[in-house]
């Protein structure tokens, strides 16, 4: 059936990304974050492009893509990969997973350059529309993300030392 092929295709995409993630983690461990970026960037770009075009992105695939962006943000220090996370989750209208919310402050603090506050604010606006339906744990994550965004914006406007 068509639905069966679509589900198989989604699983295959997540599995393929898992292989790329394993390879990227290995080259990061060897001290080559630039190679990890080359390994993952096209796959990550394709997922967000598909989501923008209205393709359904399964949660396991969005989790794997998020894991790849976190790996690249951690390994390269580029704020671009944090912006990617906010952009992806805006398009998917997904609240960050709890482990990502916990790790974000450290990633933001280590990033070379500020977050794109317009991208972060777009994410928050998208979540705000859904926030009345959040349970207690989701509301807490939403509040943590808002606080991080406020702190990141203050850092952006702080004069250099």
């Amino acid at each position: 059936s068509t639905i069966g092929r679509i589900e198989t295709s989604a699983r295959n995409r997540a599995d393929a990304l898992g292989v790329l993630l394993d390879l990227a983690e290995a080259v990061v461990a060897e001290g080559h974050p630039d190679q990890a970026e080359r390994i993952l960037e096209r796959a990550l770009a394709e997922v967000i492009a598909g989501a923008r075009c209205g393709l359904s992105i399964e949660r396991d695939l969005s989790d794997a893509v998020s894991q790849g962006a976190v790996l690249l943000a951690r390994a390269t220090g580029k704020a671009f990969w944090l912006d990617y996370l906010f952009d992806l989750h805006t398009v998917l209208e997904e609240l960050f997973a709890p482990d990502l919310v916990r790790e974000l402050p450290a990633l933001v603090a280590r990033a070379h350059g500020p977050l794109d506050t317009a991208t972060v604010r777009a994410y928050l606006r998208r979540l705000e529309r859904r926030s009345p339906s959040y349970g207690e744990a989701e509301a807490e994550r939403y509040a943590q993300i808002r606080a991080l965004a406020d702190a990141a914006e203050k850092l952006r406007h702080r004069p250099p030392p």
Side-chain angles (χ1 to χ4, degrees):
S1 77
T2 301
I3 292 177
R5 283 193 304 269
I6 291 170
E7 288 173 354
T8 299
S9 175
R11 271 193 307 278
N12 290 345
R13 288 176 66 194
D15 290 346
L17 186 57
V19 170
L20 293 176
L21 278 168
D22 289 344
L23 182 57
E25 287 173 353
V27 299
V28 165
E30 293 173 3
H32 303 288
D34 54 324
Q35 287 181 5
E37 198 169 34
R38 283 193 295 276
I39 290 166
L40 290 176
E41 66 187 344
R42 181 178 175 137
L44 272 57
E46 287 175 356
V47 170
I48 199 167
R52 283 190 181 116
C53 291
L55 295 178
S56 176
I57 306 298
E58 298 297 320
R59 187 62 192 222
D60 60 341
L61 182 57
S62 72
D63 288 346
V65 169
S66 295
Q67 189 180 354
V70 167
L71 172 69
L72 294 176
R74 197 182 305 126
T76 67
K78 293 181 181 177
F80 171 85
W81 294 112
L82 299 175
D83 294 335
Y84 175 93
L85 286 166
F86 280 96
D87 195 19
L88 174 71
H89 286 79
T90 299
V91 173
L92 297 178
E93 296 188 22
E94 286 182 352
L95 192 58
F96 288 147
D99 57 334
L100 180 54
V101 172
R102 282 189 296 276
E103 188 167 5
L104 265 177
L107 292 171
V108 170
R110 288 194 316 252
H112 306 301
L115 291 177
D116 179 44
T117 54
T119 301
V120 174
R121 291 291 166 201
Y123 176 63
L124 292 173
R125 281 192 305 276
R126 184 68 55 99
L127 292 182
E128 191 171 357
R129 290 187 294 204
R130 300 183 74 188
S131 64
S133 67
Y134 289 158
E136 187 176 329
E138 292 170 320
E140 177 61 28
R141 277 189 283 158
Y142 175 63
Q144 289 172 321
I145 295 164
R146 286 192 67 82
L148 174 67
D150 291 342
E153 194 160 327
K154 286 177 187 164
L155 283 175
R156 180 183 181 97
H157 297 296
R158 186 177 64 193

